[in-house]
Amino acid sequence: MFKNFLMIIFSMILAISACGQESINSGGDKLLVINQFMSHPALDAVAQGVEEALRKRAAKVKIQLQNAQGNITNTVQIAKHQASQSPEVIVAIATPSVQSVAKARTNVKKTIIAFAAVTDPVAAGISKLENIIGVVDTPPINDLIDILLKALPDKKRVGIISNSGEINSIKIAEQFISYSTAKGLRVINMQISIGAQVKAAAEKLVSEVDVIFIPQDNIVVSAIDSVIQVAASQKVPVIGNDPSLVDKGLLFALGCDYFKIGVQLGDMIADRLENKKVEPNIQGSGIKEFRINEKMAVILGLDSQILKGASK
Amino acid sequence: MNILQLLGSVEIGLIYALVAIGVYISYRIIDFPDLTVDGTFTLGAAVASSLIIANIDPLIATLMSIFAGALAGMVTGYLNVRWKILGLLAGILTMTALYSINLRVMGKPNITIIEDATIFGSQSVIIVSSIVVIIFIVLLVRLFSSEFGLAVRASGINPKVSNSYGINVATMKLFALAASNGIVALAGALFAQSQGFADISMGAGTIIVGLASLIIGEALLQPKAIITSLVACVIGSIVYRIAIALALNANSIGLQASDLSLITALLVAVTMILPKLKHR
Amino acid sequence: MIELQNIHVIFNKGTRLENHVLKGIDLKVEEGEFVTIIGGNGAGKSTLMNILAGDITPNKGKINIDGNDITKLPTYKRANLIARIFQDPMLGTFADLTIEENLSLACRRGKSRRINLALNSNLREHFKSALAEVGIGLERRLKDKVSLLSGGQRQALSLVMATMQDSKILLLDEHTAALDPKIAKSILEMTAKVVKNHKLTAIMITHSMTQALEYGNRTIMMYHGKINKDMNSEERALLSPDNLLKFFDL
């Protein structure tokens, strides 16, 4: 009885997928597939930026996006699936995606790999690949620290809550510590590995530091409300390198504008599709975005004009 | 679905067949729901990758990863038999500890071995994985046909009577957990080498995938003997991956890769509930 | 020879539920004896069996088998000396395994489990003749799973399993209590025959006074944790079940 049940389900899936087959050559459009590692404001912004740029350039592409929901095996299977459709371009958003896409690509000459939201392509093992373009996001940590020194000169002790399981988080924290220590600040780094530890880390830090810095990463960001709440109750400002979090209560943030990074990548892709050379094939992104939360400034008793002035 | 997609599914399915076999040993043979595997899969990848980066021969690196996995399994076993911690909890404890251990082994959350020599060399992943799977099936069939293997099976079926027949049930459990986790670690090592990287999050959900594959295989093959059960693990794993590939094809009805977790959970739940309904 | 010296068992010692189940049991069982044990509920019969099997450790006292002290040995370590048939036929064998697999497991009771194959044609022949002894056709069903067998068939199988390997004592734990009367009787007959043929030393717990007197060659009565009557064949011959009732608290 159960075997029949399974057979029915199977046939249904087969039938559905049969009608689901996309025809690649509809109107001569080229196939562009996006392999996004997970849902996250920054990664979402990259995808939007790419699509916006391609639209502005009137690129003749058919776009398909797949989201792996943060699961490595899904990323791999999506990469293989997309590669088998023999697309012109595979856009990989985040490090595990580009690693899987690099392995899955079958036609190196034909398929362009375009990546973004990867902080260290060398460590990811993809910098020397053939037929690859990408935008590396170098978070402007040093600039952020300079702004901090100008805007809040009396705050000398900084606390960081970072995620030991995310390479971006570790690198940003390291960079923050080295530059700020050189500038005479004292830094305490609390490393966590799961969301439940974030609040406790914040509670410990508020009694020992004057400012808290949140690097851009998934786990800490997922618990950001608890950090803001704990910090605000002790009048401790929270700053970060992800501008999209300012609305949640960061006092200010200076970071990569991921939408603009997506646009930059989209332009690079459009160039390649028009058979123009793209040099260098892996570029940095100089575009920065600075945002202030005025309400938070009021709560903390700070003058937002001074803060704005610090970013000049 | 084209032939490339099918081969891609088979490739992942064969490596994960080892996960299904590992889960079969713990869940079916000794009736122990072992969550350690979420950590052991990554452990295998971490150990193999780190050793390969350190220029150790990939075959030795892979063997070391099996050994590491076996140790992890024995830790869970020890917590359960010596300290009487519930199996489910013992597995969770070891898995949680392994997160930190894996980070230490790798040094960072993501390491790449894309330019290093792997156990696959220039051979096709499918062929090498098939050989590994066949070797382990043959070994396990022989093991469970032996006096020792029969005793392991007995201790999972009826611990009290096993005791009265002189079987040290605790030792049997430790052995089964070591074997199970060693095989899952092997899967992790093979996965990392086939993909060129190891990531700290790659083990999340391993137990569910293993159970889903096991259950699909059993539903399809209705196995009565050990060898058919093991083959069912392989078939189930490949069918599961094909089902995912089909779901990925079904973009037109709005099915997303993100829905896969829900579908997997439903599949496992339904397959577990159906036999109970039959018995009513 | 099996010897119990001053065995005391106290459950939940030191709490309000403290229960002194065995209050100083002294018992000697010679080789070849077939002892039946009878007693009311709470007399301590099952506890006595569990002490011998190793499932419970006594608070005080010693157990010797042929002069060796086995008191502290866990069940699986004394399995080479002790064979046991459980009360619940559904739980006393390995239901998911086949008859021949069950017998193979029984063969290695108390012996090391090696990497050799558990089954071969020689063993199968041995199993067939052993099963033929109880004469219910199981020898033709070696590859059937035990879950297909009825309660009576499983107890018969348990009997054969008990003889697959030498033992110093066979423990029969009310092994017919869960069977219906006709089957129970045939299992008891079978038991008597097997014990006689293999010259086994056996202890049988039973609730039935008729059974207690009809089988074996010695009967022990337990009452509130003590042995209050120990009768050999001559004394038993003089008794009827009604007489036995007098010694009960009814």
Side-chain angles (χ1 to χ4, degrees):
Chain A
M1 185 219 100
F2 182 65
K3 243 188 184 158
N4 299 336
F5 172 71
L6 217 64
M7 284 301 128
I8 295 173
I9 299 280
F10 223 60
S11 338
M12 272 168 48
I13 298 182
L14 265 166
I16 293 172
S17 69
C19 22
Q21 279 289 15
E22 318 278 349
S23 96
I24 311 278
N25 267 327
S26 46
D29 278 355
K30 305 207 172 123
L31 179 61
L32 181 146
V33 289
I34 305 180
N35 186 337
Q36 182 175 336
F37 186 57
M38 63 188 292
S39 297
H40 182 283
L43 305 184
D44 295 341
V46 170
Q48 285 156 17
V50 169
E51 293 187 30
E52 171 77 9
L54 291 170
R55 193 178 18 243
K56 278 226 173 93
R57 295 279 296 261
K60 283 194 171 324
V61 281
K62 188 175 176 55
I63 302 179
Q64 249 183 53
L65 186 149
Q66 287 286 10
N67 184 322
Q69 283 309 81
N71 183 309
I72 299 277
T73 324
N74 280 355
T75 310
V76 169
Q77 192 147 10
I78 290 171
K80 287 183 192 295
H81 173 87
Q82 291 176 334
S84 72
Q85 293 172 291
S86 204
E88 305 294 309
V89 185
I90 305 182
V91 179
I93 305 182
T95 303
S97 300
V98 70
Q99 288 172 317
S100 312
V101 165
K103 232 343 161 131
R105 176 171 60 172
T106 43
N107 191 335
V108 179
K109 290 272 178 275
K110 175 184 175 196
T111 310
I112 306 165
I113 296 181
F115 69 82
V118 173
T119 314
D120 194 341
V122 177
I126 53 148
S127 56
K128 298 207 211 110
L129 292 175
E130 239 189 272
N131 204 0
I132 189 168
I133 57 178
V135 179
V136 177
D137 47 316
T138 11
I141 301 299
N142 297 359
D143 293 338
L144 175 66
I145 295 173
D146 286 333
I147 294 178
L148 173 65
L149 291 165
K150 262 169 94 179
L152 307 167
D154 52 328
K155 313 245 182 238
K156 291 289 184 202
R157 302 172 302 168
V158 186
I160 310 178
I161 305 177
S162 65
N163 176 4
S164 57
E166 256 185 69
I167 205 152
N168 294 344
S169 191
I170 293 180
K171 280 193 153 296
I172 292 175
E174 276 171 10
Q175 196 183 340
F176 192 100
I177 293 171
S178 85
Y179 190 73
S180 54
T181 321
K183 289 280 178 172
L185 294 171
R186 254 193 59 212
V187 188
I188 303 176
N189 183 6
M190 301 268 330
Q191 277 203 334
I192 52 95
S193 57
I194 51 171
Q197 298 165 339
V198 174
K199 187 165 181 204
E203 282 163 352
K204 177 144 197 298
L205 284 175
V206 285
S207 55
E208 296 172 20
V209 301
D210 310 310
V211 178
I212 293 182
F213 166 63
I214 303 241
Q216 180 184 53
D217 84 63
N218 304 318
I219 295 194
V220 180
V221 164
S222 69
I224 194 164
D225 293 317
S226 58
V227 177
I228 304 284
Q229 200 185 50
V230 167
S233 70
Q234 298 295 319
K235 301 265 193 228
V236 172
V238 182
I239 63 174
N241 72 308
D242 184 350
S244 68
L245 295 175
V246 170
D247 293 331
K248 292 228 166 203
L250 294 186
L251 177 61
F252 61 79
L254 177 74
C256 302
D257 185 334
Y258 279 96
F259 180 79
K260 298 229 175 82
I261 285 180
V263 169
Q264 184 177 346
L265 187 66
D267 277 325
M268 289 162 74
I269 294 173
D271 284 343
R272 284 295 310 271
L273 288 174
E274 290 167 20
N275 286 318
K276 299 200 192 116
K277 265 185 180 276
V278 172
E279 307 252 314
N281 65 324
I282 298 182
Q283 306 175 353
S285 161
I287 310 161
K288 292 176 270 213
E289 187 191 346
F290 180 71
R291 265 205 247 167
I292 300 177
N293 187 323
E294 314 247 349
K295 267 208 211 132
M296 210 62 209
V298 171
I299 294 176
L300 295 168
L302 299 165
D303 189 341
S304 53
Q305 295 296 25
I306 299 184
L307 297 174
K308 285 192 191 138
S311 71
K312 300 286 175 266
Chain B
M1 172 180 289
N2 61 37
I3 191 77
L4 272 174
Q5 287 175 21
L6 188 64
L7 286 178
S9 308
V10 171
E11 185 182 306
I12 304 185
L14 276 172
I15 294 181
Y16 268 87
L18 291 169
V19 171
I21 289 176
V23 171
Y24 170 75
I25 296 176
S26 55
Y27 189 60
R28 286 278 182 248
I29 297 212
I30 56 160
D31 204 18
F32 191 111
D34 183 20
L35 260 58
T36 320
V37 297
D38 274 24
T40 331
F41 186 77
T42 315
L43 179 66
V47 168
S49 304
S50 320
L51 290 177
I52 284 175
I53 290 178
N55 273 317
I56 308 274
D57 177 70
L59 182 59
I60 306 221
T62 309
L63 287 172
M64 291 302 295
S65 69
I66 300 179
F67 184 63
L71 270 179
M74 291 208 282
V75 168
T76 302
Y78 177 73
L79 289 172
N80 174 250
V81 307
R82 172 70 179 84
W83 297 104
K84 307 274 186 277
I85 297 179
L86 184 68
L88 209 56
L89 291 176
I92 292 176
L93 284 173
T94 313
M95 167 188 80
T96 312
L98 278 175
Y99 185 88
S100 307
I101 293 175
N102 290 337
L103 268 179
R104 283 253 173 200
V105 169
M106 299 203 297
K108 359 175 225 166
N110 179 306
I111 54 178
T112 175
I113 51 171
I114 199 158
E115 286 171 15
D116 299 277
T118 68
I119 201 172
F120 296 106
S122 45
Q123 306 285 13
S124 114
V125 173
I126 292 186
I127 292 183
V128 176
S129 310
S130 304
I131 294 176
V132 173
V133 168
I134 292 174
I135 289 177
F136 272 86
I137 291 185
V138 168
L139 282 176
L140 287 171
V141 169
R142 178 61 182 81
L143 172 73
F144 288 117
S145 313
S146 71
E147 290 173 4
F148 180 78
L150 187 55
V152 174
R153 293 172 63 199
S155 65
I157 292 172
N158 196 331
K160 184 163 171 149
V161 174
S162 296
N163 231 348
S164 76
Y165 278 96
I167 298 172
N168 185 341
V169 172
T171 311
M172 298 294 116
K173 249 195 212 176
L174 282 173
F175 174 80
L177 287 170
S180 158
N181 281 280
I183 293 176
V184 171
L186 172 63
L190 290 178
F191 188 77
Q193 290 176 75
S194 72
Q195 293 311 311
F197 71 96
D199 188 293
I200 192 69
S201 68
M202 62 196 290
T206 303
I207 182 76
I208 294 291
V209 173
L211 280 173
S213 311
L214 174 65
I215 284 170
I216 293 176
E218 287 178 350
L220 288 175
L221 262 60
Q222 310 276 357
K224 299 272 189 303
I226 297 271
I227 184 160
T228 25
S229 298
L230 292 172
V231 171
C233 291
V234 180
I235 305 282
S237 178
I238 295 178
V239 166
Y240 176 70
R241 290 294 157 193
I242 292 179
I244 292 186
L246 287 172
L248 286 172
N249 260 347
N251 253 335
S252 63
I253 57 164
L255 205 58
Q256 278 278 338
S258 41
D259 300 323
L260 289 169
S261 305
L262 179 61
I263 295 175
T264 310
L266 277 174
L267 185 64
V268 174
V270 164
T271 350
M272 284 180 158
I273 294 174
L274 269 171
K276 295 197 204 279
L277 289 177
K278 262 199 272 186
H279 274 243
R280 282 271 191 85
Chain C
M1 182 191 61
I2 293 96
E3 191 180 346
L4 291 162
Q5 290 174 355
N6 195 24
I7 296 286
H8 286 264
V9 172
I10 307 169
F11 289 149
N12 300 313
K13 190 163 180 198
T15 71
R16 268 193 304 152
L17 299 166
E18 184 171 306
N19 184 2
H20 200 159
V21 180
L22 292 178
K23 301 179 179 146
I25 301 284
D26 289 294
L27 180 61
K28 281 202 184 95
V29 178
E30 303 286 346
E31 206 179 308
E33 285 194 299
F34 185 165
V35 185
T36 57
I37 301 187
I38 189 153
N41 286 327
K45 317 187 291 294
S46 283
T47 310
L48 184 63
M49 189 130 292
N50 283 327
I51 288 288
L52 279 164
D55 290 348
I56 299 178
T57 318
N59 297 66
K60 230 163 94 169
K62 284 207 308 182
I63 310 168
N64 288 329
I65 294 191
D66 283 352
N68 297 319
D69 185 348
I70 64 159
T71 324
K72 296 276 181 355
L73 284 180
T75 311
Y76 74 92
K77 280 207 174 131
R78 56 174 94 171
N80 59 325
L81 302 167
I82 300 179
R84 183 174 181 179
I85 300 184
F86 294 85
Q87 180 179 87
D88 187 345
M90 296 306 149
L91 302 175
T93 49
F94 301 100
D96 289 333
L97 297 177
T98 61
I99 291 180
E100 56 181 10
E101 284 170 335
N102 271 264
L103 289 166
S104 168
L105 280 164
C107 268
R108 300 303 298 175
R109 169 169 55 78
K111 299 224 172 327
S112 65
R113 310 234 172 215
R114 308 158 300 182
I115 206 70
N116 309 40
L117 285 175
L119 293 164
N120 58 48
S121 44
N122 279 345
L123 273 174
R124 286 196 175 98
E125 287 312 307
H126 178 48
F127 295 161
K128 280 188 189 157
S129 46
L131 286 167
E133 195 189 326
V134 294
I136 52 171
L138 292 177
E139 61 274 17
R140 292 185 290 270
R141 304 176 59 179
L142 281 184
K143 295 205 189 290
D144 279 358
K145 285 221 162 109
V146 168
S147 49
L148 295 173
L149 301 182
S150 69
Q153 288 170 318
R154 294 193 206 193
Q155 293 302 60
L157 174 63
S158 294
L159 260 176
V160 176
M161 282 167 74
T163 64
M164 284 287 105
Q165 188 56 245
D166 293 334
S167 60
K168 293 286 175 194
I169 185 146
L170 170 65
L171 299 175
L172 301 157
D173 196 346
E174 293 193 65
H175 67 302
T176 60
L179 305 171
D180 69 72
K182 213 163 140 228
I183 313 267
K185 188 143 173 77
S186 66
I187 295 292
L188 280 166
E189 300 287 337
M190 216 187 271
T191 308
K193 183 171 143 195
V194 166
V195 168
K196 184 160 159 227
N197 287 346
H198 294 259
K199 300 194 181 42
L200 301 173
T201 312
I203 298 182
M204 180 169 92
I205 294 180
T206 172
H207 253 122
S208 153
M209 290 181 266
T210 326
Q211 278 180 21
L213 293 177
E214 198 178 320
Y215 295 96
N217 46 30
R218 177 179 168 191
T219 299
I220 285 175
M221 249 178 53
M222 289 184 67
Y223 183 69
H224 286 342
K226 287 191 182 205
I227 295 178
N228 70 346
K229 207 106 176 74
D230 188 347
M231 299 171 284
N232 59 27
S233 329
E234 291 91 30
E235 293 165 298
R236 290 183 346 155
L238 299 172
L239 279 181
S240 69
D242 298 322
N243 295 140
L244 263 188
L245 262 175
K246 278 193 283 181
F247 297 105
F248 277 95
D249 208 17
L250 295 167

